[in-house]
Amino acid sequence: MARYDRAITVFSPDGHLFQVEYALEAVRKGNAAVGVRGTDIVVLGVEKKSAAKLQDSRSVRKIVNLDDHIALACAGLKADARVLINRARIECQSHRLTVEDPVTVEYITRYIAGLQQKYTQSGGVRPFGLSTLIVGFDPYSGVPSLYQTDPSGTFSAWKANATGRNSNSIREFLEKNYKETSGQETIKLAIRALLEVVESGGKNIEVAVMTKEHGLRQLDEAEIDAIAAEIEAEKEAAEAAKKAPPKET
């Protein structure tokens, strides 16, 4: 294997590009990120590590705007993410100047995925070590969208998805519990999914909500804590109901 994992452009005999697989491994070791699409809202949530005592936590954001109606969250190498985000923002503005219309969510997803794919096929470069969740509202139909891209340049549309650390556990939870929701219920589902793998409740979670009318809004820690407490109370009530003896008829 050692001969084939040194060059990005060389396939191994069994059809693997090892550098791309190593990039996927970097994603799996990154922070967990989850996206949930509702009928009138899209929610992004990410796991965040506790900031150092003297660090300004506002300077460490893992959910960012690409345009007024599109946002992105990622798992993997944050320095790589910064480069990709800047390129995507320039493309959004360039599209507005050239076409005089905002980009669609699918257009910017294709652009980001194309950029990631290009870096798996050129000599002298390495793949981007990150996977992205891209959400937004179509500027023409107003329909919410959620897309995922990975280091190989593959992209796909989802109703709900997760990437990063323990993403399989979160995805299984979403598969069992997802249903078409709106407003607060969609936010609760995203936070419940993250709490499956994140300890310490709301203080280790960053959540942003996008609506058609108001664009992206980051929830503050007090709002997240309140929803997390509500979820915990619902869990306790459900467990108590299970343990309660059946009523005699």
Side-chain angles (χ1 to χ4, degrees):
M1 183 184 93
R3 290 179 300 159
Y4 298 103
D5 69 350
R6 294 181 185 178
I8 183 62
T9 54
V10 179
F11 281 96
S12 70
D14 54 352
H16 289 272
L17 279 173
F18 287 113
Q19 289 297 321
V20 175
E21 293 185 10
Y22 297 160
L24 286 163
E25 190 59 35
V27 170
R28 282 191 281 271
K29 290 184 176 175
N31 59 279
V34 63
V36 181
R37 189 189 78 193
T39 55
D40 59 351
I41 192 173
V42 202
V43 182
L44 284 173
V46 296
E47 171 190 12
K48 66 176 182 183
K49 292 174 182 170
S50 51
K53 194 172 182 181
L54 300 177
Q55 186 180 25
D56 185 351
S57 60
R58 292 172 301 174
S59 64
V60 185
R61 288 288 181 195
K62 297 182 178 175
I63 302 172
V64 297
N65 261 333
L66 297 182
D67 204 340
D68 295 335
H69 61 297
I70 298 175
L72 176 147
C74 61
L77 302 178
K78 294 298 169 290
D80 285 14
R82 192 174 64 245
V83 173
L84 204 59
I85 288 163
N86 286 342
R87 296 278 289 272
R89 283 173 169 168
I90 290 168
E91 180 62 23
C92 287
Q93 298 310 308
S94 174
H95 189 278
R96 275 183 188 269
L97 285 168
T98 308
V99 186
E100 297 186 354
D101 276 321
V103 296
T104 62
V105 186
E106 184 180 356
Y107 175 91
I108 200 63
T109 302
R110 281 181 184 276
Y111 175 81
I112 289 170
L115 205 54
Q116 287 179 296
Q117 193 280 331
K118 191 167 83 171
Y119 277 71
T120 69
Q121 206 174 358
S122 310
V125 297
R126 66 162 174 78
F128 285 95
L130 77 152
S131 175
T132 67
L133 293 173
I134 302 163
V135 301
F137 283 80
D138 188 285
Y140 309 107
S141 66
V143 174
S145 302
L146 166 65
Y147 286 88
Q148 185 205 3
T149 74
D150 67 30
S152 67
T154 305
F155 75 92
S156 48
W158 295 77
K159 294 176 182 175
N161 197 14
T163 187
R165 187 175 69 85
N166 292 327
S167 59
N168 287 339
S169 302
I170 300 174
R171 204 174 292 118
E172 282 172 17
F173 174 85
L174 289 169
E175 284 170 2
K176 287 177 188 172
N177 294 278
Y178 179 83
K179 54 181 182 281
E180 288 285 342
T181 55
S182 62
Q184 195 72 4
E185 288 302 310
T186 310
I187 300 170
K188 276 174 74 173
L189 178 60
I191 293 176
R192 278 176 64 203
L194 270 179
L195 288 175
E196 289 291 302
V197 298
V198 176
E199 296 174 3
S200 308
K203 70 178 183 183
N204 284 344
I205 291 174
E206 184 181 327
V207 178
V209 174
M210 178 168 274
T211 58
K212 188 182 175 189
E213 295 80 17
H214 303 108
L216 189 71
R217 182 176 76 87
Q218 300 266 1
L219 300 190
D220 59 41
E221 200 171 303
E223 286 179 277
I224 297 170
D225 282 337
I227 295 168
E230 195 180 325
I231 291 165
E232 197 59 39
E234 285 175 8
K235 269 187 188 175
E236 286 172 7
E239 283 173 15
K242 279 181 188 175
K243 289 176 184 174
K247 290 182 181 178
E248 293 181 12
T249 53

